[in-house]
Amino acid sequence: MEQQTSAAGCGSEMQTSVINLDGLKPSVSCHPTVERWRVEDIMALFELPFNDLLHRAQTVHREHFDPNAVQVSTLLSIKTGGCSEDCGYCPQAARYHTDVENEPLMQLDEVLAAAKAAKESGASRFCMGAAWRGPKQRDLEPVLKMISEVKAMGLQTCATLGMLKDGQAEQLKEAGLDYYNHNLDTAPEFYGDVITTRTYQDRLDTLDRVRSVDINVCCGGIIGMGESRAQRAGLIAQLANMEQPPESVPINLLTQVEGTPLHGTEALDPLEFVRTIAIARITMPTSFVRLSAGRQSMGEAVQTLCFHAGANSIFYGEKLLTTGNPEVEADNALFGKLGLKKI
């Protein structure tokens, strides 16, 4: 739901200035304005011996987090299929022939029942995703009600609804939204190989709207789409060099779906994925680094390495939008083996 665009789209300073609901506050931009990490520095991390890299990541992780605690989120697709975008990885794009049907927005009672089940299963955050390029006001109204009702259940709330227009982030904040997810997906120089219907700058603009009203940012990318290691480093640099890095950084492994353009892409070496997790942890030491899509294909050993490398958040439940996710029982069993507790 969440590539031809020009890297020049990110090359100019953004001037977003939105009034915060709590009063005037300095705008914090998600545009990478501070070069804390050069791409060549991140590449040097990728080239470290594996054990040295994991030791460094684990050291950073322990400085900022309980190493045996994992934040648990559940993601529900409240509006599936029929998206007008052309994201090459996404089975929800209307132009691709996949098994995903165009479905209407879920009813409030269905969403609340799913949120209740998620909470009972141990999730602390409930994420609602809609396959839109961006919500129209008539789309947003029922979602605002969902957010407020889920918030009243004692869950943290998160939404991923596509690009936001002026004023929409304020409405989401007022409804009680805690996190907004809008991924950059990949490095600017590879983006146009994957998506052509929105630009990198479009994504940065939405993130700035979110940040300016004091909603937490959930922003990461997808690994294994055919990008080079340098391009993976470029994605990490974009995220780590934001004026305020995302509070939550989902690192997705491409889940290949027949009918999408990226189906048939050469599979990524699992240890390269673990390296990416470790580097996200080192470069964004206070962010939650989340194992997201693709976890089902990793198996327990690779997931364990990811936790050791600094991943401390997962999506939990039977469905992750339109691709499978490890069942709750399997996750609980792995947590038990590793002595991990859910937060």
Side-chain angles (χ1 to χ4, degrees), residues 66-70 332-342:
D66 180 343
N68 298 307
V70 177
N332 286 337
L334 179 58
F335 276 35
K337 292 176 185 179
L338 301 180
L340 298 176
K341 60 187 176 186
K342 291 179 280 189

Side-chain angles (χ1 to χ4, degrees), residues 99-286:
D99 292 334
V100 177
E101 300 293 334
N102 184 6
E103 299 176 3
L105 184 69
M106 290 178 66
Q107 296 298 307
L108 177 62
D109 59 347
E110 297 176 289
V111 174
L112 295 182
K116 181 175 182 290
K119 185 177 181 180
E120 291 173 349
S121 295
S124 60
R125 187 180 307 163
F126 190 72
C127 305
M128 292 161 275
W132 292 321
R133 174 176 170 81
K136 300 180 176 65
Q137 188 59 34
R138 67 172 183 268
D139 300 323
L140 194 60
E141 301 279 352
V143 176
L144 297 174
K145 180 65 171 175
M146 294 173 188
I147 291 167
S148 62
E149 294 285 342
V150 171
K151 180 81 169 181
M153 297 172 63
L155 285 163
Q156 292 182 342
T157 55
C158 178
T160 177
L161 312 172
M163 294 185 291
L164 297 179
K165 304 179 184 70
D166 287 339
Q168 291 183 326
E170 288 89 339
Q171 295 177 69
L172 291 166
K173 174 70 174 181
E174 189 172 15
L177 190 68
D178 296 303
Y179 287 80
Y180 194 81
N181 167 254
H182 201 61
N183 290 334
L184 293 180
D185 285 347
T186 190
E189 62 271 21
F190 188 64
Y191 184 90
D193 292 351
V194 183
I195 298 172
T196 69
T197 49
R198 74 173 85 169
T199 68
Y200 218 79
Q201 188 66 49
D202 288 332
R203 292 180 183 265
L204 292 169
D205 288 347
T206 286
L207 291 170
D208 269 6
R209 291 185 173 102
V210 169
R211 184 62 86 191
S212 68
V213 299
D214 224 16
I215 295 174
N216 293 309
V217 168
C218 176
C219 183
I222 304 172
I223 308 303
M225 296 192 292
E227 77 284 348
S228 66
R229 175 178 274 188
Q231 288 163 341
R232 285 190 282 281
L235 169 64
I236 297 296
Q238 288 286 317
L239 297 167
N241 289 333
M242 287 180 180
E243 188 174 346
Q244 181 176 340
E247 284 79 10
S248 182
V249 182
I251 304 295
N252 300 275
L253 177 64
L254 175 66
T255 299
Q256 299 192 29
V257 179
E258 189 172 356
T260 60
L262 290 181
H263 182 255
T265 302
E266 184 178 356
L268 186 73
D269 186 310
L271 296 184
E272 184 73 5
F273 185 84
V274 177
R275 284 183 178 273
T276 307
I277 292 287
I279 292 166
R281 169 52 64 218
I282 292 166
T283 58
M284 291 172 278
T286 62

Side-chain angles (χ1 to χ4, degrees), residues 35-103:
E35 194 176 48
R36 301 182 184 92
W37 289 93
R38 299 178 303 165
V39 171
E40 50 264 45
D41 297 329
I42 297 172
M43 282 293 289
L45 292 175
F46 268 109
E47 292 162 6
L48 286 174
F50 189 75
N51 286 342
D52 292 349
L53 176 62
L54 262 62
H55 176 72
R56 181 167 173 179
Q58 179 66 199
T59 300
V60 170
H61 187 56
R62 287 174 177 269
E63 290 174 352
H64 298 278
F65 292 99
D66 180 343
N68 298 307
V70 177
Q71 188 277 326
V72 175
S73 299
T74 291
L75 176 60
L76 176 70
S77 180
I78 60 173
K79 165 63 183 82
T80 302
C83 183
S84 62
E85 302 276 29
D86 69 350
C87 307
Y89 51 80
C90 186
Q92 302 203 65
R95 66 191 68 204
Y96 304 141
H97 300 290
T98 68
D99 292 334
V100 177
E101 300 293 334
N102 184 6
E103 299 176 3

